[in-house]
């Protein structure tokens, strides 16, 4: 099972601020993902990466950006936060492994509130 | 898009009742994978089970059991003798093909009342 860490767990910030949500995993997984989820609602994939220097936009359009300079680190940045960005952000990672044992493991999430 | 449907939006039971959460999926892939995740009120997504399309054997883990039927494209999840701690949103998901992305259902909110 993967160890995935997200910081901060909770963030309340004013409109217009630049924020970075951190996500790190210690399992050496190639693949990492960011999901956005409103409370109790469905998950929306907003970014993913299949390796260093590889990033793609997900199924839901997002104003955030991501980078993947190191295998273990996949931060998400909002240049200018707005109230519409208020949500929970979940990071995940996966590795194909042997016998196609592909599984995504999730971090604890960051609950972002933009005032 | 290959959808995952969880028709039950909310289920409410009394403790010790058995409850089944339904999941129906669409797929065009020969090999695919099915998952269940639990999301308690704290918000994290906890992996419960993964099932490969080529393994239709049902599985039991304590009070949890899963029924995979390719003929009906279903992967249902049963909790036996439910407990208050089982209260959570449960998500079914599907992966497969040449990408490594998951398609999630919209989730089922299970409330177990004492």
């Amino acid at each position: 099972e993967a160890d995935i860490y997200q910081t901060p767990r909770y963030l309340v910030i004013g409109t217009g601020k630049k924020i970075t949500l951190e996500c790190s995993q210690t399992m050496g997984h190639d693949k990492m993902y960011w999901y956005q989820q409103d409370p109790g609602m469905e998950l929306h994939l907003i970014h993913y990466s299949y390796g260093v220097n590889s990033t793609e936009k997900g199924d839901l359009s997002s104003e955030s950006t991501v980078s993947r300079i190191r295998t273990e680190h996949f931060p998400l940045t909002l240049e200018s936060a707005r109230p519409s960005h208020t949500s929970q952000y979940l990071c995940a990672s996966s590795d194909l492994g042997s016998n196609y044992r592909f599984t995504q493991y999730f971090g604890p999430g960051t609950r972002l509130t933009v005032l | 898009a290959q959808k995952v449907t969880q028709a039950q939006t909310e289920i409410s039971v009394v403790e010790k009742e058995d409850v089944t959460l339904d999941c129906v999926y669409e797929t065009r892939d020969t090999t695919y994978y099915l998952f269940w995740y639990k999301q308690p009120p704290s918000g994290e997504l906890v992996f419960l089970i993964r099932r490969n399309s080529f393994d239709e054997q049902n599985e039991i883990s304590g009070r949890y059991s899963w029924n995979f039927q390719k003929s009906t494209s279903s992967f249902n999840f049963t909790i036996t003798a439910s407990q208050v701690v089982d209260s959570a949103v449960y998500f079914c998901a599907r992966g497969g093909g040449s990408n490594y992305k998951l398609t999630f259902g919209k989730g089922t909110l299970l409330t177990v009342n004492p």
Side-chain angles (χ1 to χ4, degrees), chain B residues 1 5 18 27 35 37 48 52 67 80 84 95-96 100 104 106 114:
Chain B
T5 301
D18 298 347
T27 187
F35 304 84
Y37 288 86
L48 295 178
N52 299 332
N67 184 348
T80 302
V84 173
Y100 302 102
F104 283 86
K106 294 186 177 183

Side-chain angles (χ1 to χ4, degrees), chain B residues 2-111:
Chain B
Q2 301 177 70
K3 295 191 298 185
V4 174
T5 301
Q6 295 180 252
Q8 305 147 310
T9 305
E10 295 186 32
I11 301 176
S12 181
V13 300
V14 177
E15 206 169 18
K16 298 183 182 174
E17 283 185 35
D18 298 347
V19 56
T20 296
L21 310 181
D22 298 332
C23 174
V24 174
Y25 61 91
E26 298 175 359
T27 187
R28 294 185 292 273
D29 299 311
T30 303
T31 301
Y32 54 92
Y33 319 99
L34 300 168
F35 304 84
W36 276 97
Y37 288 86
K38 175 183 180 180
Q39 187 174 42
S42 53
E44 75 273 24
L45 224 62
V46 179
F47 166 71
L48 295 178
I49 191 170
R50 173 185 186 281
R51 175 61 65 216
N52 299 332
S53 59
F54 45 84
D55 179 6
E56 284 194 73
Q57 185 175 7
N58 292 323
E59 183 160 336
I60 298 174
S61 175
R63 295 185 297 107
Y64 295 170
S65 62
W66 291 269
N67 184 348
F68 175 34
Q69 294 199 347
K70 289 178 76 171
S71 60
T72 55
S73 298
S74 65
F75 186 43
N76 297 337
F77 172 31
T78 297
I79 301 174
T80 302
S82 60
Q83 300 176 1
V84 173
V85 294
D86 296 327
S87 296
V89 180
Y90 291 85
F91 289 93
C92 180
R94 177 212 154 276
S98 59
N99 69 62
Y100 302 102
K101 296 190 285 183
L102 293 184
T103 300
F104 283 86
K106 294 186 177 183
T108 297
L109 171 62
L110 173 65
T111 302

